[in-house]
Amino acid sequence: MQSVDTMRRGMSTRFGVRAVVCAVAMMLCGAAAAQVSSYGDKDQGENRGDQLPQVLQKVGVAQHLNAQLPLDAQFLDETGAPVTLGTYFNGKRPALLSLVYFDCPMLCSEEMDGISSALEMVKMNPGKDFDVVLISIDPADTPAKAAAKKAFYLKRYGRPETASGWHYLTGQRPAIDAVTNAVGFGYVKVPGPDGKLTQFAHASSLEVVTPTGKLAQYYLGVEYSPKDMMLGLIEASDNKIGSPVANILTYCYHYDPSTNKHSLVVAHVVQMGGMVTVAGLGGFIFLMFRRDYRLAHHHDNSEPNDDDKSGIHKG
């Protein structure tokens, strides 16, 4: 039989584990509730369970790995000069491609911030080792806006000598659609603060493209790993195509005039985080019970019985 001390230790461990389970469960429930109450914007359709608001049903990123970009698509660069997309995919070096719009009040700036921040730690140089190509999905954007964005982020990047490797493009709907369809970038127009359809619901992603214009890798979200980015560029330079990544998307979709902000909907991130947490918690509980069992078993085997303690031996 187990000693009183052993039973107490076992009960203490089990109660401790139960306390941890309850605490983490409460934290998860609180976080999920906070996420819904903070980001859910009912003006664009309710988010029931894991169902996206209706406005986001056509918004997303389908990863078209190895698909060819439309190299004949015509745009204007930040100087107003006409260019084709093939200008930047002529077989010389890979590129990072980002689909944004320059009047986006929140998510696009976060994405461009993430690109420049990650590239600061990448030991490769735009214009020499790779190019950065940002294409506006808004036909109303102008080369002047593109030039202002380039100047801002080039200054932030801190390497003015790499200016030839940064390209901010604007164009008309046929060229924009050709690129977004090739990339698998779904987006829709939404009302701005004035009620007019001047803004866009869209997701955030960064694509690595081979020197010949084939989609080699997708990075989703607004923060990017410098190590992954550099590895992706190196592999793309050899025309290697990567693998699909977990489709966890960050959305920008609605202007709230009462707060003067756009709402960000981080779909499935809470669910994914909950799954990881539950899996980790399950492993922790298993290890704790296993440890408790081993300690109790070892204690029972090593503890002398009452006859041994009294010096009396049978037989």
Side-chain angles (χ1 to χ4, degrees):
M1 294 180 63
Q2 290 185 346
S3 68
V4 174
D5 289 341
T6 301
M7 294 177 65
R8 285 176 177 172
R9 279 196 296 272
M11 292 175 67
S12 176
T13 301
R14 285 189 286 274
F15 282 129
V17 171
R18 289 173 185 170
V20 171
V21 173
C22 293
V24 174
M26 291 172 66
M27 289 167 59
L28 284 175
C29 293
Q35 195 75 288
V36 172
S37 62
S38 296
Y39 295 124
D41 195 323
K42 307 307 179 185
D43 291 343
Q44 291 295 339
E46 292 187 2
N47 184 0
R48 301 180 184 274
D50 61 353
Q51 182 179 0
L52 291 174
Q54 185 176 1
V55 71
L56 297 181
Q57 295 298 320
K58 295 182 180 180
V59 175
V61 179
Q63 300 176 45
H64 295 171
L65 291 169
N66 206 31
Q68 178 68 56
L69 291 177
L71 301 184
D72 58 347
Q74 297 182 347
F75 294 93
L76 299 177
D77 68 13
E78 65 276 0
T79 70
V83 295
T84 62
L85 201 57
T87 303
Y88 312 108
F89 302 101
N90 52 17
K92 292 183 179 180
R93 51 184 176 258
L96 297 174
L97 174 67
S98 178
L99 299 172
V100 295
Y101 69 105
F102 303 136
D103 282 336
C104 180
M106 194 165 189
L107 189 61
C108 295
S109 295
E110 294 291 331
E111 181 176 346
M112 289 185 280
D113 288 347
I115 294 172
S116 62
S117 296
L119 287 179
E120 288 175 12
M121 294 179 278
V122 172
K123 297 185 181 301
M124 301 172 70
N125 295 308
K128 178 182 178 183
D129 303 308
F130 65 96
D131 286 292
V132 182
V133 180
L134 296 100
I135 299 177
S136 173
I137 60 175
D138 186 357
D141 271 340
T142 64
K145 293 180 181 179
K149 285 293 183 183
K150 177 174 179 176
F152 177 84
Y153 282 102
L154 189 62
K155 181 178 180 180
R156 176 175 179 147
Y157 182 54
R159 303 184 203 173
E161 70 278 6
T162 66
S164 63
W166 296 77
H167 314 284
Y168 287 71
L169 310 182
T170 57
Q172 296 306 304
R173 181 61 58 207
I176 294 171
D177 287 347
V179 175
T180 56
N181 290 337
V183 172
F185 187 87
Y187 66 101
V188 295
K189 273 193 169 185
V190 293
D194 56 1
K196 297 180 180 179
L197 293 175
T198 56
Q199 297 183 357
F200 297 87
H202 64 94
S204 177
S205 69
L206 176 66
E207 290 73 43
V208 182
V209 187
T210 69
T212 58
K214 289 194 173 183
L215 292 159
Q217 187 65 67
Y218 286 73
Y219 300 124
L220 305 179
V222 295
E223 294 184 359
Y224 311 104
S225 163
K227 181 179 179 181
D228 289 344
M229 188 181 289
M230 184 169 68
L231 181 61
L233 286 169
I234 291 173
E235 291 183 342
S237 66
D238 291 331
N239 294 301
K240 295 180 180 178
I241 306 300
S243 302
V245 298
N247 205 28
I248 302 176
L249 299 175
T250 303
Y251 298 97
C252 179
Y253 78 104
H254 181 63
Y255 188 87
D256 184 355
S258 66
T259 61
N260 196 33
K261 294 180 179 178
H262 269 65
S263 298
L264 285 179
V265 176
V266 185
H268 305 311
V269 172
V270 173
Q271 297 166 6
M272 182 67 71
M275 290 171 61
V276 173
T277 302
V278 170
L281 183 59
F284 169 75
I285 295 172
F286 173 77
L287 291 175
M288 289 296 292
F289 276 116
R290 185 177 179 185
R291 176 177 175 273
D292 180 43
Y293 173 79
R294 286 183 173 179
L295 285 174
H297 185 69
H298 175 74
H299 185 81
D300 288 343
N301 289 338
S302 62
E303 185 178 45
N305 57 33
D306 293 339
D307 291 341
D308 292 337
K309 292 179 182 177
S310 63
I312 301 174
H313 298 277
K314 292 183 180 180

